[in-house]
Amino acid sequence: GDSVTQTEGLVTLTEGLPVMLNCTYQSTYSPFLFWYVQHLNEAPKLLLKSFTDNKRPEHQGFHATLHKSSSSFHLQKSSAQLSDSALYYCASNTNKVVFGTGTRLQVLP
Amino acid sequence: EAAVTQSPRSKVAVTGGKVTLSCHQTNNHDYMYWYRQDTGHGLRLIHYSYVADSTEKGDIPDGYKASRPSQENFSLILELASLSQTAVYFCASSDPGQGVYEQYFGPGTRLTVL
């Protein structure tokens, strides 16, 4: 069946440094890919999705590029902010929604 | 804006008791989902539904039942609550038929079973 892999459970970095959170997927078909962000004691909410009329999806300084050749949809940001500290989920959707296990991003001053 | 609400927001239950968690959406979405969240496990799908009066098993359905009496409402039922069911539960909606593939989550219900 479909699967989503997020290899890092915790990423810790200093404010101002670049961010990259890894996401790879396995699917028989070409899935839609998503990044969700969950701040402490809040619900997950959509950050990015892979299908945006051929434009690279961007939101709040984050962007992600779907690479079908490597089955990846890594999340990137050029400069981390303290407010980016949160739990990030990668997810796929073909005929079923599949979430990765999540990566906690901790940004330190 | 899309809206999903859950009640109660928190609940303490006794082992062996019955617990019902409710979810209501005003998005006019056909699909609704129940997830549980535990530290280290991320979001795990319990049950989902794509039409009223029908529910489907997710990845971890054991110990849970679901009910979808209308498009707007989706309940999760724990007939005999156990300690291992202590978790945060999220409801979500989407509608692939309308091109809405992303999920809209409710605020969550924190369930503690003692």
Side-chain angles (χ1 to χ4, degrees):
Chain A
D2 291 6
S3 65
V4 172
T5 301
Q6 296 180 250
T7 53
E8 309 116 334
L10 173 65
V11 171
T12 301
L13 48 79
T14 304
E15 184 180 20
L17 291 180
V19 178
M20 188 165 98
L21 305 184
N22 294 319
C23 174
T24 56
Y25 64 91
Q26 283 190 313
S27 178
T28 304
Y29 306 100
S30 294
F32 298 118
L33 274 297
F34 307 87
W35 278 100
Y36 291 85
V37 59
Q38 184 181 20
H39 289 94
L40 191 61
N41 295 323
E42 295 183 5
K45 59 184 179 182
L46 181 68
L47 181 62
L48 293 172
K49 55 187 178 182
S50 63
F51 46 111
T52 52
D53 301 326
N54 296 322
K55 296 178 182 178
R56 186 179 73 171
E58 295 191 28
H59 187 63
Q60 298 177 349
F62 286 94
H63 63 268
T65 302
L66 179 61
H67 289 288
K68 294 184 179 180
S69 59
S70 58
S71 299
S72 67
F73 190 57
H74 304 322
L75 183 68
Q76 295 177 276
K77 187 175 184 181
S78 59
S79 176
Q81 298 177 295
L82 294 175
S83 58
D84 294 331
S85 295
L87 183 59
Y88 292 81
Y89 287 105
C90 184
S92 71
N93 190 346
T94 48
N95 62 347
K96 181 182 175 182
V97 178
V98 178
F99 280 86
T101 52
T103 297
R104 183 166 298 282
L105 176 63
Q106 186 176 49
V107 181
L108 303 177
Chain B
E1 183 167 323
V4 179
T5 56
Q6 294 181 232
S7 63
R9 294 294 313 277
S10 67
K11 183 172 180 65
V12 178
V14 295
T15 303
K18 182 177 181 178
V19 177
T20 299
L21 307 183
S22 299
C23 179
H24 179 81
Q25 55 106 353
T26 58
N27 304 331
N28 195 34
H29 287 170
D30 282 337
Y31 282 68
M32 295 186 75
Y33 311 80
W34 276 107
Y35 294 91
R36 67 175 282 172
Q37 184 176 45
D38 305 272
T39 303
H41 288 279
L43 291 166
R44 293 186 288 175
L45 182 64
I46 306 170
H47 285 287
Y48 66 100
S49 167
Y50 53 83
V51 68
D53 295 321
S54 177
T55 63
E56 306 293 331
K57 293 181 179 179
D59 299 321
I60 54 164
D62 293 345
Y64 303 94
K65 291 183 179 180
S67 173
R68 182 91 181 271
S70 64
Q71 186 195 43
E72 298 82 10
N73 296 294
F74 193 35
S75 297
L76 185 68
I77 303 144
L78 291 66
E79 295 279 3
L80 295 170
S82 67
L83 295 174
S84 64
Q85 294 177 312
T86 293
V88 178
Y89 292 85
F90 288 101
C91 176
S93 75
S94 71
D95 200 321
Q98 297 182 48
V100 181
Y101 295 93
E102 63 268 30
Q103 307 228 316
Y104 289 85
F105 285 87
T109 296
R110 184 173 298 274
L111 175 65
T112 303
V113 182
L114 302 176

